[in-house]
Amino acid sequence: MADYPPAVRELIAALRELPSIGPRSAERLVLFLLEETKGTKEHLARSLQAVGAGVHPCGRCGFYAEEELCELCRDPSRDPLLWCMVASPGDVLRIERASAFRGVYHVLGCKLSPLEGIGPERLPSGTLLARIERERPREIILALGTDAEGEATALYLGQLLKKTATRISSLATGLPAGGGLEFADSVTLSYALAGRREL
Amino acid sequence: MADYPPAVRELIAALRELPSIGPRSAERLVLFLLEETKGTKEHLARSLQAVGAGVHPCGRCGFYAEEELCELCRDPSRDPLLWCMVASPGDVLRIERASAFRGVYHVLGCKLSPLEGIGPERLPSGTLLARIERERPREIILALGTDAEGEATALYLGQLLKKTATRISSLATGLPAGGGLEFADSVTLSYALAGRREL
């Protein structure tokens, strides 16, 4: 049975290494790339190389940077003593898009997860404590999510950071914006009740 | 509001040029590529460049080739006088996967489409007639699909090729394999009735 030329098969294989790209999607993308004449292939190849060669974790907070420090750590208008701790670099922009935080970040890089064998010794606590020692933040807001891993990590870090005399807080849990009670599960409702605010 | 570094934004933009990749999918793919350390970025970049530089239409049939002729046209075990005419290079492998055709192909490149402004003058009839003149095929099987464009193109080519004294046939229309009558639409059923075969 005939097949595509080797270079085409190799591109299909490379695309299949991406998440949620199966054999059919990969073939469809390759057929598009073979037909297009606007330089998408070259644009994509160049961008991949630029990201591979030029993007690395920010030396201070761990977000993506092309220089030594990321855009956020270089911004003098941000409060360097108010930190927001997130699990992954992608979470930084999720918070940024809320336009409600003007401090700096600390990307932890992982969460505690007994199921995946990530115990306290795998958390980069040393790096975190050294940065706290050096920069002495006023407050650290934990934004690690409300899944079991996020809550376990927050609990552990709360204990660990007690001795640093930094104020530790955590994002509020409660009803998400824009929906009636019928869209909230019972655990969320119990959090929302416990965290109720006086009007 | 902060954003990814320029190189990352550029990669997101390049991925969004692909079909059915929206802003969220592109961001998810980029976050994967930023975290992966197995060389997927480099593999993909190299493959894209190889395809861009090395893959072109076969000089005889128009399928994808890395040498002057494609794998199919170079295969001496295939019947060079039995042709299958398809609309696009991707259709060649769709036929090949049926393992039921041992001739060679002719990729037309487009179908007649009044809606998209593709009239008979846009069909590469000259190339086709020149190849027929040169190679004198015994039979040409039209496999252009049963949509309006495919049927119009088949009708037009049937007329055009009458004078070449080549036998022209077309793929059978009827019930698809593996399903009861409840899955066939009424047009397909009428084709299946008209094309019924004696047992």
Side-chain angles (χ1 to χ4, degrees):
Chain A
M1 196 172 79
D3 203 344
Y4 292 111
V8 177
R9 292 207 298 272
E10 197 56 41
L11 180 53
I12 292 177
L15 283 166
R16 289 199 54 191
E17 293 176 24
L18 298 176
S20 75
I21 305 264
R24 276 174 181 272
S25 307
E27 185 170 351
R28 197 167 40 80
L29 290 174
V30 165
L31 287 175
F32 167 84
L33 287 166
L34 281 162
E35 296 303 313
E36 64 87 22
T37 51
K38 288 182 187 157
T40 298
K41 282 186 288 299
E42 295 70 24
H43 186 191
L44 202 46
R46 268 199 319 275
S47 311
L48 285 160
Q49 284 167 325
V51 162
V55 177
H56 50 78
C58 167
R60 191 182 286 160
C61 76
F63 183 56
Y64 301 119
E66 290 187 75
E67 305 182 37
E68 194 206 330
L69 297 183
C70 72
E71 185 191 347
L72 293 153
C73 286
R74 290 199 315 268
D75 183 347
S77 77
R78 301 189 76 104
D79 182 349
L81 300 183
L82 176 63
W83 293 9
C84 180
M85 174 141 17
V86 293
S88 74
D91 288 341
V92 169
L93 286 191
R94 291 187 187 106
I95 303 261
E96 280 300 294
R97 281 167 192 164
S99 301
F101 179 69
R102 293 297 301 168
V104 296
Y105 291 87
H106 188 88
V107 178
L108 200 56
C110 64
K111 304 193 217 184
L112 287 180
S113 172
L115 284 177
E116 293 174 38
I118 305 177
E121 72 291 348
R122 292 270 299 275
L123 284 189
S125 310
T127 320
L128 172 61
L129 289 171
R131 185 179 170 202
I132 292 175
E133 181 68 28
R134 207 164 52 235
E135 304 185 21
R136 306 224 165 249
R138 190 174 64 248
E139 178 176 350
I140 302 178
I141 304 168
L142 303 181
L144 300 164
T146 54
D147 51 354
E149 289 80 10
E151 301 222 318
T153 312
L155 203 65
Y156 173 78
L157 290 178
Q159 289 293 323
L160 181 78
L161 302 182
K162 225 174 219 170
K163 57 185 170 197
T164 64
T166 305
R167 195 176 152 205
I168 311 291
S169 60
S170 176
L171 291 188
T173 46
L175 296 181
L181 291 194
E182 66 269 34
F183 298 113
D185 60 290
S186 54
V187 181
T188 302
L189 275 174
S190 72
Y191 279 136
L193 277 168
R196 68 192 179 278
R197 293 187 315 168
E198 215 161 313
L199 292 177
Chain B
M1 197 171 78
D3 203 343
Y4 292 111
V8 177
R9 293 207 298 272
E10 198 57 41
L11 180 54
I12 293 178
L15 284 166
R16 289 200 53 191
E17 293 176 24
L18 298 176
S20 76
I21 305 265
R24 275 174 181 272
S25 308
E27 185 171 349
R28 198 167 39 80
L29 290 173
V30 165
L31 286 175
F32 167 84
L33 287 165
L34 281 162
E35 296 303 313
E36 65 87 22
T37 52
K38 287 182 189 157
T40 298
K41 281 185 290 297
E42 294 71 22
H43 185 192
L44 201 46
R46 269 198 319 275
S47 311
L48 285 160
Q49 284 167 324
V51 162
V55 177
H56 50 77
C58 167
R60 191 181 285 159
C61 76
F63 183 56
Y64 301 119
E66 288 188 77
E67 304 181 38
E68 193 204 331
L69 296 181
C70 72
E71 185 192 347
L72 294 154
C73 286
R74 291 199 315 266
D75 182 347
S77 77
R78 301 188 76 105
D79 182 349
L81 300 182
L82 176 62
W83 294 8
C84 179
M85 175 141 19
V86 292
S88 73
D91 288 340
V92 169
L93 286 192
R94 291 189 187 103
I95 303 261
E96 279 300 295
R97 283 168 191 162
S99 301
F101 179 70
R102 293 297 300 167
V104 297
Y105 291 88
H106 188 87
V107 178
L108 200 57
C110 63
K111 304 192 215 184
L112 288 180
S113 172
L115 284 178
E116 293 176 37
I118 304 177
E121 72 289 349
R122 292 270 300 275
L123 284 189
S125 310
T127 321
L128 172 61
L129 289 170
R131 185 179 169 199
I132 291 174
E133 182 67 28
R134 206 165 52 236
E135 304 185 22
R136 304 222 169 255
R138 189 173 67 247
E139 178 176 351
I140 303 180
I141 304 168
L142 303 182
L144 300 165
T146 53
D147 51 354
E149 290 80 9
E151 301 221 318
T153 312
L155 202 67
Y156 173 78
L157 290 177
Q159 289 294 324
L160 181 79
L161 302 183
K162 226 172 216 169
K163 57 186 168 196
T164 64
T166 305
R167 193 175 153 207
I168 311 291
S169 60
S170 175
L171 291 188
T173 47
L175 297 181
L181 291 193
E182 66 270 35
F183 298 113
D185 61 290
S186 53
V187 180
T188 302
L189 274 173
S190 72
Y191 279 135
L193 277 167
R196 66 191 180 279
R197 293 187 314 169
E198 216 161 313
L199 291 178

